[in-house]
Amino acid sequence: MNPFPSPDDDEEGNSRRAEDGLPEDTNTLGNLLAHFYLSLSSGNPEEIITAYVALESYCPDVQLGESWEVQDEIVKDARRKCVSLIRAPYVEKTNQLNTAARKRLKQKTALSDNNSDGTVVAHGQRYMFIMMDVLGTWSNWLVELRQYGFRREMITQLMNSLYPRIIEIVFDTFQAFRQEKDLEKLCAKSTDINAELHLNTLDNTLQQLGTMRSLVNKHYAFQYDLFTPYFLIEHDSEDALHHVALIDRLVLATPEELMRWKELDFLYSALESAYLLRAVTVACEEEALLEVETGVYILHMVEDILFLMTKVMDRA
């Protein structure tokens, strides 16, 4: 029995379309559109998503007079009608994420007499944890939307107004770290080989900067991997993707956004170069020998320099 009776149904609720040679459970563009409007009236997000995805993924039947052009226009209209309803929970989640992240940025951790070292580490690393939390949450949302079966256009329309707010939180987190550590002053000091600067301080700062760079790079790599299958479907082959610009394959990102991260790259490169120069200079002062095999000795500084080079390359 049809759960959605219409004027075409008989008294028992059976569809008269069976008389036309069509089974009553046949999906047609008209039926799917009717179900979509019923889901809108219910206000249930899950029903709306299910009805919309069914409409979006439907292949028109030419024998019934349906066409891809008509289906495309219907999907566009349906997308406009339901996008705000589906986006609403993510707007609320974005507001909560934004509030929590900015609150954590403003926190001043007091030093503990019993565990001062642990407290300092937690305070200094909070910037990385904020970036991890924000970008990780955003990635989970995109995966969730993809699992619904949405097309790229729907995901873009749902999230393109929220994405700048997410990136702004992440960028402000980096700027807060830059100001707290006074990285410009540290850069100027590190390039002066005669200036006194503890290598451990420079190394710890670089470790945090390196982690931030890694998080940002992984964020863009994730978006690239997430949206590439959509382009493969649209262009039929990997070779046909060569003319699609990288920034277009990131979908939500903009050139201006990518340019803002040049500052992070510059500060990291300048400080890493200064660290390597200073660390190698210290290593070269070591005159002791290191036995690598029985009766085989090398200068200890060779081992130290190799360790430093490996560390810097891994961090980069």
Side-chain angles (χ1 to χ4, degrees):
M1 183 160 179
N2 190 350
F4 304 106
S6 71
D8 292 330
D9 292 346
D10 59 21
E11 295 179 356
E12 297 179 358
N14 297 317
S15 174
R16 294 197 182 104
R17 291 187 63 82
E19 300 172 3
D20 301 326
L22 294 173
E24 62 182 78
D25 61 346
T26 296
N27 282 334
T28 65
L29 195 56
N31 285 344
L32 293 177
L33 184 59
H35 291 176
F36 172 73
Y37 278 111
L38 284 171
S39 69
L40 281 181
S41 63
S42 72
N44 187 319
E46 291 294 332
E47 290 183 14
I48 294 172
I49 290 172
T50 301
Y52 173 80
V53 170
L55 192 60
E56 189 180 56
S57 59
Y58 176 71
C59 295
D61 190 337
V62 180
Q63 294 181 350
L64 296 179
E66 300 170 349
S67 68
W68 285 104
E69 292 77 10
V70 172
Q71 190 252 7
D72 188 53
E73 289 301 317
I74 289 175
V75 168
K76 287 180 181 178
D77 183 63
R79 189 182 302 147
R80 286 192 293 268
K81 286 180 167 62
C82 70
V83 70
S84 59
L85 294 172
I86 299 174
R87 186 197 293 131
Y90 294 101
V91 172
E92 181 62 27
K93 291 177 183 178
T94 301
N95 292 337
Q96 293 173 358
L97 191 63
N98 189 5
T99 302
R102 297 192 182 283
K103 182 178 180 181
R104 289 164 65 186
L105 276 179
K106 295 177 181 179
Q107 284 179 346
K108 300 297 182 182
T109 305
L111 298 182
S112 169
D113 294 331
N114 298 324
N115 189 21
S116 59
D117 291 341
T119 305
V120 170
V121 170
H123 180 66
Q125 292 182 342
R126 77 187 191 280
Y127 300 104
M128 294 182 295
F129 292 140
I130 292 172
M131 291 178 73
M132 257 185 248
D133 187 24
V134 172
L135 292 177
T137 301
W138 173 258
S139 299
N140 290 338
W141 293 348
L142 290 182
V143 170
E144 184 178 276
L145 290 174
R146 184 179 176 183
Q147 288 175 341
Y148 282 131
F150 290 135
R151 290 182 186 173
R152 174 170 59 90
E153 294 83 0
M154 182 58 164
I155 296 178
T156 303
Q157 197 164 335
L158 280 170
M159 307 306 272
N160 61 359
S161 63
L162 302 180
Y163 180 66
R165 297 179 61 191
I166 295 294
I167 287 298
E168 198 64 31
I169 299 170
V170 178
F171 190 75
D172 287 350
T173 301
F174 161 64
Q175 290 296 334
F177 175 79
R178 178 183 65 81
Q179 293 171 11
E180 181 175 297
K181 299 296 183 182
D182 200 356
L183 294 184
E184 284 79 5
K185 183 178 180 180
L186 185 60
C187 270
K189 189 176 181 180
S190 65
T191 54
D192 183 1
I193 196 65
N194 297 315
E196 183 179 354
L197 182 63
H198 294 291
L199 281 176
N200 285 340
T201 300
L202 191 54
D203 188 38
N204 289 335
T205 301
L206 276 166
Q207 194 63 44
Q208 294 179 69
L209 272 178
T211 302
M212 288 182 179
R213 286 183 74 242
S214 177
L215 288 171
V216 171
N217 290 335
K218 287 178 180 178
H219 161 68
Y220 290 113
F222 168 78
Q223 287 201 166
Y224 179 89
D225 292 339
L226 181 80
F227 289 113
T228 291
Y230 291 102
F231 286 100
L232 282 172
I233 294 173
E234 294 167 11
H235 294 82
D236 298 328
S237 69
E238 184 72 41
D239 293 336
L241 283 178
H242 291 320
H243 72 280
V244 181
L246 174 62
I247 187 64
D248 293 330
R249 291 169 72 171
L250 291 175
V251 179
L252 295 169
T254 63
E256 295 76 17
E257 170 193 331
L258 298 181
M259 285 299 296
R260 295 177 74 183
W261 292 114
K262 293 293 183 183
E263 183 180 9
L264 172 58
D265 291 333
F266 170 77
L267 289 170
Y268 172 79
S269 299
L271 289 173
E272 192 72 277
S273 299
Y275 169 78
L276 188 59
L277 176 61
R278 285 173 173 268
V280 169
T281 301
V282 172
C284 288
E285 297 173 358
E286 180 64 58
E287 298 179 354
L289 296 176
L290 177 67
E291 186 176 11
V292 292
E293 294 181 13
T294 304
V296 180
Y297 295 87
I298 63 171
L299 288 172
H300 204 296
M301 69 176 182
V302 174
E303 178 72 15
D304 290 343
I305 292 173
L306 179 61
F307 168 77
L308 287 169
M309 295 296 293
T310 303
K311 178 179 182 179
V312 168
M313 286 190 292
D314 288 344
R315 188 156 57 194

